[in-house]
Amino acid sequence: GANNMSAKLVLLGDMGAGKSSMVLRFVRGQFFEYQESTIGAAFFSQTLALNETTIKFEIWDTAGQERYHSLAPMYYRGAAAAIVVYDITSLDSFNRAKKWVQELQRQGNPNMVMTLAGNKADLTAKRKVELEEAQAYATENGLFFIETSAKTAQNVNELFYDIAKRVLKA
Ligand code: GTP
Ligand code: MG
């Protein structure tokens, strides 16, 4: 009916940041310590209900390995939402996330709902990226920001529900 919509959502970020793990946690409620690195991209769909509306996410989980970078525009083109993921224990992954944000700002859909997600929030003892630093960067760039853990499920459903709400308003 009129209250059912679908939305293309893409995950981008460095290899090993936990994109696939976040999607598997959200879609299947699963987590694997030895998650395989994604080749090319993987597709998932999941429907969320918000009051009278259902939103079907068509999720593209992209591969973070550099050799797949050139494929990324196929996945973010026409996307209603993007999650740029980094690993809070890796400064390199945070810097890579900033590059993705720049690329999306230049070449992505201008109405795209963008979220910066600091994943592996369970690994506090190994933290390299301070929450305040990431929050400040997100605010400067007009992004929503959240820290998640695919392992413990912290904030994973919250992240997708928040995106659904913002996509419906956009
Ligand atoms: P590519 O597909 O290569 O781009 O990587 P990815 O971003 O999909 O990362 P993936 O989900 O494959 O996770 C990489 C590794 O980090 C795996 O060994 C996961 O088990 C682990 N991992 C993912 N999320 C978390 C988390 O929240 N906490 C912890 N402790 N480990 C995690
Ligand atoms: Mg992956």
Side-chain angles (χ1 to χ4, degrees):
N3 291 331
N4 297 330
M5 70 174 289
S6 60
K8 180 175 173 182
L9 185 161
V10 64
L11 287 97
L12 298 163
D14 207 0
M15 65 177 288
K19 299 175 293 300
S20 300
S21 299
M22 288 169 66
V23 174
L24 287 171
R25 169 60 74 193
F26 171 57
V27 173
R28 301 201 186 130
Q30 295 177 330
F31 176 78
F32 302 101
E33 290 285 347
Y34 301 99
Q35 177 62 41
E36 281 175 32
S37 189
T38 305
I39 295 170
F43 179 79
F44 299 84
S45 79
Q46 177 76 319
T47 301
L48 285 185
L50 284 172
N51 304 320
E52 325 290 57
T53 311
T54 67
I55 178 163
K56 182 183 178 195
F57 279 127
E58 293 165 346
I59 303 170
W60 286 101
D61 167 25
T62 66
Q65 292 181 48
E66 191 54 43
R67 64 178 132 146
Y68 298 115
H69 185 177
S70 62
L71 300 178
M74 289 201 302
Y75 301 109
Y76 64 69
R77 193 172 297 136
I83 306 174
V84 177
V85 183
Y86 68 92
D87 167 355
I88 70 152
T89 74
S90 162
L91 262 184
D92 282 350
S93 78
F94 185 54
N95 290 328
R96 188 76 194 87
K98 291 178 176 174
K99 297 277 182 210
W100 280 119
V101 169
Q102 272 181 8
E103 180 167 338
L104 292 174
Q105 285 171 338
R106 287 180 191 151
Q107 297 177 63
N109 158 20
N111 303 319
M112 188 156 53
V113 167
M114 271 208 263
T115 302
L116 179 67
N119 189 44
K120 309 197 188 181
D122 56 291
L123 299 178
T124 43
K126 291 163 85 185
R127 176 188 288 276
K128 295 279 164 27
V129 182
E130 293 308 322
L131 188 139
E132 294 73 16
E133 182 186 358
Q135 178 65 73
Y137 171 79
T139 303
E140 276 166 29
N141 286 276
L143 314 169
F144 179 74
F145 169 68
I146 194 165
E147 285 193 349
T148 59
S149 169
K151 184 170 181 173
T152 67
Q154 176 193 336
N155 281 345
V156 175
N157 283 340
E158 288 81 353
L159 163 61
F160 285 92
Y161 270 97
D162 177 83
I163 292 170
K165 281 186 214 151
R166 286 186 298 138
V167 165
L168 289 173
K169 278 189 211 148

